[in-house]
Amino acid sequence: MKHVKTTIISTGSWIKHHARLHTLVAIAVFVVGMGATVYYWNNLRQSVEADMGAAFERNGEAIGSAAMARMQQYENFLRGSAGLFILDDFIPQADWDRYHQPYNIPANYPDVQGIGLSRYLTKDQVPAFLERKKAQEGVAFTIYPEGDRDVYVPVSLNAPFTGNNGRAKGFDGYTEPTRRKAMDTAAATGRPAISGKIKLVSEARPDRNSMILYMPVYERNRPVTTADERRAALIGFTYVAIDTTSFMEQVMESAQASGMAIQLGDAERPSGDRQMYESSDFDTIRGREGSKVETMTLEVYGHSWIATIAAAPDIISEYERQLPGQAVWRGVLSSLFFAGLVWYLITDRERKYARQKQEEVQSAKDDLLSLASHQLRTPATVVKQYVGMLLQGYAGDLSKQQIDMLTNAYESNERQLDIINQLLYVARLDAGRITLRREKTDITRLVRDVAADQREAITGRTQELIFKLPKRSMFAEVDPHYMRMVFENLLSNAIKYTPPHGRLTMSARRLPGQLIIRVADNGVGIDPALQDSIFEKFTRVENALSTDVNGSGVGLYLTKQIVELHGGSIEVRSTPGEGSTFIVRIPTHKPREA
Ligand code: ADP
């Protein structure tokens, strides 16, 4: 029987070994899946980043060209205004106003604070200029700030707009370095030039910053090819004063760059004093997760500017932004799914294979069982008869040695028959050929009878048997023959698996409708992991004593089957090294459906 057990165990370890392999294959599939996921995720992430970069560039360019287009328009204004001086180099304020009226600047260009002419005068030209001005306008003209200078560039014509206090007239912008630099650049190059960050003298709102675009105006019919010629022919500068905040608001609106914010500064100022404009949502957009921020310096109309552009992540669609994240969880899910599928397919095949193997083993065992029980019983019985006859002296007197040898043969043959009988019962049970003949049976008495039969074995191992039985008889409707086998098996196991001087206990008690019989020992006990398998057919479990004792591995199988045929149950409680208790519950009456 050991052989059978080995087969089962090796099937088990075969499965275990392969289980490790499937797990490895499944993990490999998962790892490959995750590798592909990471690769795909990275590609998507890069393309989202590239798209974000492209959208950023597009929007940035839209802002840039809107700003340039607006500036160009102002440049064109100035060219038109400058053109007036071809007709008359001392045009009156009223003509200046009339000329600009049709543009309807307050409505169309709310960022324009004023359009004017700053007259370029050397010191000796000033008195004649003041005279002419007074003659033309009827009131005295004053240049401010006062002071003795080589050159004066006072505002001589101006058209103030939107909230402007009109105080610019007479103001000599050349006294202020930022304006002066722009004027010098314009005069020298003959092209429009812009100032950096300034405060207009006519500014009514002190929080606002402005810039002024200057265009040089030359006397008619004078050569203006070289810088010196241009300086000599210079009449002054037409200019447009621009409110930066309003200018940038118009620019951002016409660029239609939603999700973008900008910070504009004068790069030629010390860093603490640069800022000219900041979109109201600049900090919010820059602070958003996934936003993109870039700072650049630009040269526009002869001045350096610094612009920081921030783009919110939604300059590209939410759908696109979510692609990489979605790829990750889709990848994880499908990797898990395929790993699981592969694992299932392999294990399923192997489970089927293992099951088939086990069935084959079982059917081989059943064949063997039936062969053993039927074919071995008859010859073994014949041996028993003949040896018995010899011992009884039917063939004449025997010597002491002959009697001893025959007695040994007789006992061995009895054990053999016991096993054959057990196998026969198993064969019958499996074939469903056992029918119970129930009768009212005194269970206490049955327990005592079984114990009495095995008294010799108990005393032979110098063990002690204790009964804990009620005084009054306890009856149950059972098949006494089979029930006896139950207690015989349990008690003989207790004897076998308990070392000499051990203590065995048989106890019984009654509960409503059922009896509970316990067979306990303080023997070797059973490994908890194997406690379920001991009730299986042909299962022997190795322990300290199992090599010394005989056994077929079917005793507990038969016991359990018989108890269950009676509608009862059996369980074991055991601690290795401390002992085992088998607990049998049987109904006192035949269960209705059984
Ligand atoms: P057998 O005794 O012929 O091996 P059984 O079916 O009666 O077969 O028992 C199965 C296994 O259960 C035994 O091999 C033994 O290891 C274990 N076993 C049964 N009864 C006891 C017990 N009282 N104490 C310890 N082990 C036991």
Side-chain angles (χ1 to χ4, degrees):
M1 291 309 150
K2 251 197 166 145
H3 160 75
V4 172
K5 187 181 102 186
T6 332
T7 316
I8 292 171
I9 285 175
S10 75
T11 312
S13 72
W14 180 85
I15 290 172
K16 255 187 236 153
H17 168 74
H18 282 254
R20 245 175 278 141
L21 208 72
H22 324 135
T23 314
L24 282 181
V25 172
I27 288 173
V29 169
F30 182 73
V31 167
V32 169
M34 283 312 293
T37 304
V38 168
Y39 176 78
Y40 188 51
W41 166 78
N42 196 38
N43 276 355
L44 280 175
R45 201 181 48 94
Q46 279 172 359
S47 89
V48 168
E49 215 161 273
D51 285 356
M52 176 85 187
F56 184 88
E57 208 133 290
R58 243 189 348 265
N59 285 320
E61 268 163 22
I63 295 172
S65 37
M68 281 320 290
R70 203 166 181 87
M71 274 299 180
Q72 213 100 53
Q73 215 145 25
Y74 297 150
E75 184 187 329
N76 287 338
F77 278 178
L78 295 182
R79 288 191 196 283
S81 313
L84 294 174
F85 296 90
I86 297 169
L87 308 171
D88 175 359
D89 70 357
F90 214 81
I91 55 167
Q93 178 71 49
D95 286 350
W96 185 256
D97 292 341
R98 260 195 294 278
Y99 172 78
H100 288 105
Q101 189 137 37
Y103 288 107
N104 195 5
I105 286 172
N108 296 328
Y109 305 95
D111 48 325
V112 171
Q113 294 291 297
I115 291 183
L117 172 81
S118 290
R119 196 85 198 189
Y120 181 85
L121 304 163
T122 51
K123 195 171 162 183
D124 51 309
Q125 292 173 322
V126 173
F129 167 78
L130 292 178
E131 207 108 310
R132 250 182 120 178
K133 222 29 194 166
K134 190 179 174 189
Q136 197 176 51
E137 295 182 0
V139 284
F141 189 91
T142 12
I143 296 175
Y144 76 97
E146 288 172 3
D148 186 25
R149 302 188 282 275
D150 290 341
V151 171
Y152 296 80
V153 193
V155 173
S156 125
L157 297 170
N158 78 333
F161 303 105
T162 43
N164 188 316
N165 62 26
R167 260 183 231 141
K169 207 155 191 180
F171 173 66
D172 178 358
Y174 207 63
T175 58
E176 191 275 309
T178 312
R179 290 173 175 82
R180 182 187 187 133
K181 186 206 150 210
M183 290 186 211
D184 284 342
T185 311
T189 57
R191 285 202 301 272
I194 199 163
S195 75
K197 167 183 170 179
I198 58 156
K199 292 273 183 211
L200 295 175
V201 290
S202 55
E203 181 59 85
R205 289 165 300 180
D207 60 306
R208 293 295 183 103
N209 297 305
S210 297
M211 50 196 176
I212 301 184
L213 181 66
Y214 290 100
M215 178 79 165
V217 182
Y218 304 104
E219 253 174 85
R220 144 170 98 145
N221 298 333
R222 294 277 298 266
V224 286
T225 337
T226 67
D228 285 343
E229 286 171 349
R230 285 196 285 269
R231 178 66 74 164
L234 192 64
I235 293 179
F237 306 92
T238 51
Y239 70 83
V240 56
I242 302 159
D243 175 294
T244 337
T245 307
S246 173
F247 174 82
M248 284 307 300
E249 279 167 5
Q250 302 294 317
V251 164
M252 293 304 273
E253 199 184 298
S254 64
Q256 290 194 319
S258 72
M260 304 286 285
I262 189 166
Q263 203 181 44
L264 185 72
D266 179 348
E268 294 179 19
R269 280 192 173 256
S271 61
D273 185 32
R274 278 183 181 159
Q275 185 152 311
M276 297 178 73
Y277 169 77
E278 187 183 270
S279 310
S280 56
D281 52 359
F282 183 81
D283 283 336
T284 324
I285 287 183
R286 185 172 53 178
R288 278 183 60 182
E289 170 147 12
S291 67
K292 191 174 165 74
V293 180
E294 235 170 68
T295 296
M296 59 209 87
T297 47
L298 327 144
E299 191 72 23
V300 179
Y301 286 116
H303 195 87
S304 308
W305 307 93
I306 180 160
T308 302
I309 298 182
D314 28 320
I315 58 169
I316 57 170
S317 74
E318 176 161 353
Y319 168 77
E320 188 179 351
R321 272 179 291 136
Q322 285 177 347
L323 284 179
Q326 282 176 354
V328 169
W329 66 256
R330 285 206 184 117
V332 170
L333 286 187
S334 36
S335 305
L336 275 177
F337 173 76
F338 282 112
L341 186 70
V342 165
W343 190 84
Y344 174 78
L345 289 177
I346 304 177
T347 51
D348 189 53
R349 251 189 62 180
E350 284 177 355
R351 263 194 305 271
K352 277 185 191 143
Y353 183 67
R355 208 179 308 130
Q356 192 188 337
K357 265 257 142 40
Q358 227 159 355
E359 278 165 9
E360 279 169 21
V361 169
Q362 192 57 50
S363 107
K365 278 196 259 173
D366 290 347
D367 292 350
L368 191 71
L369 177 68
S370 148
L371 177 88
S373 48
H374 292 105
Q375 308 301 319
L376 297 182
R377 197 169 126 97
T378 316
T381 315
V382 174
V383 170
K384 180 180 163 133
Q385 279 167 2
Y386 281 107
V387 174
M389 281 163 71
L390 279 177
L391 280 172
Q392 279 167 23
Y394 281 91
D397 288 345
L398 302 172
S399 71
K400 164 118 185 26
Q401 199 187 9
Q402 285 170 328
I403 292 177
D404 283 351
M405 288 168 97
L406 283 173
T407 307
N408 276 343
Y410 191 83
E411 281 170 1
S412 273
N413 174 256
E414 285 232 288
R415 280 203 299 276
Q416 188 185 11
L417 269 171
D418 277 351
I419 291 175
I420 292 171
N421 280 336
Q422 271 199 339
L423 295 182
L424 248 175
Y425 279 120
V426 171
R428 275 192 215 147
L429 236 165
D430 288 351
R433 281 198 287 114
I434 287 186
T435 31
L436 297 179
R437 280 199 214 118
R438 288 179 186 264
E439 56 191 68
K440 191 173 174 189
T441 308
D442 182 346
I443 299 295
T444 18
R445 200 161 143 206
L446 187 67
V447 168
R448 282 186 194 280
D449 282 355
V450 168
D453 284 352
Q454 303 202 17
R455 177 108 337 242
E456 221 170 285
I458 297 171
T459 47
R461 281 173 74 77
T462 58
Q463 291 165 336
E464 176 193 10
L465 173 63
I466 298 165
F467 290 111
K468 288 185 182 164
L469 301 171
K471 290 204 183 73
R472 283 175 46 203
S473 298
M474 295 190 313
F475 292 96
E477 276 177 33
V478 295
D479 183 320
H481 169 70
Y482 284 112
M483 208 29 87
R484 170 183 281 268
M485 277 172 58
V486 167
F487 301 132
E488 274 172 1
N489 274 334
L490 293 179
L491 184 58
S492 81
N493 276 347
I495 297 167
K496 282 197 295 187
Y497 299 113
T498 302
H501 311 298
R503 195 177 60 245
L504 320 172
T505 314
M506 293 186 93
S507 56
R509 67 192 178 101
R510 181 210 300 272
L511 287 183
Q514 66 170 341
L515 303 182
I516 299 181
I517 301 96
R518 290 166 192 259
V519 180
D521 62 61
N522 61 353
V524 293
I526 306 158
D527 182 346
L530 302 169
Q531 285 178 12
D532 284 339
S533 64
I534 56 171
F535 293 105
E536 284 163 18
K537 215 193 299 186
F538 298 123
T539 306
R540 296 203 68 198
V541 174
E542 307 261 346
N543 61 38
L545 291 174
S546 55
T547 41
D548 303 343
V549 301
N550 290 311
S552 56
V554 297
L556 283 179
Y557 172 73
L558 262 182
T559 303
K560 185 173 188 219
Q561 299 300 316
I562 292 169
V563 170
E564 286 177 355
L565 264 182
H566 280 89
S569 67
I570 183 167
E571 65 175 290
V572 63
R573 287 180 196 160
S574 178
T575 309
E578 286 181 19
S580 315
T581 301
F582 285 83
I583 303 161
V584 176
R585 293 186 166 79
I586 39 170
T588 48
H589 294 88
K590 182 182 174 186
R592 233 169 283 154
E593 63 273 40

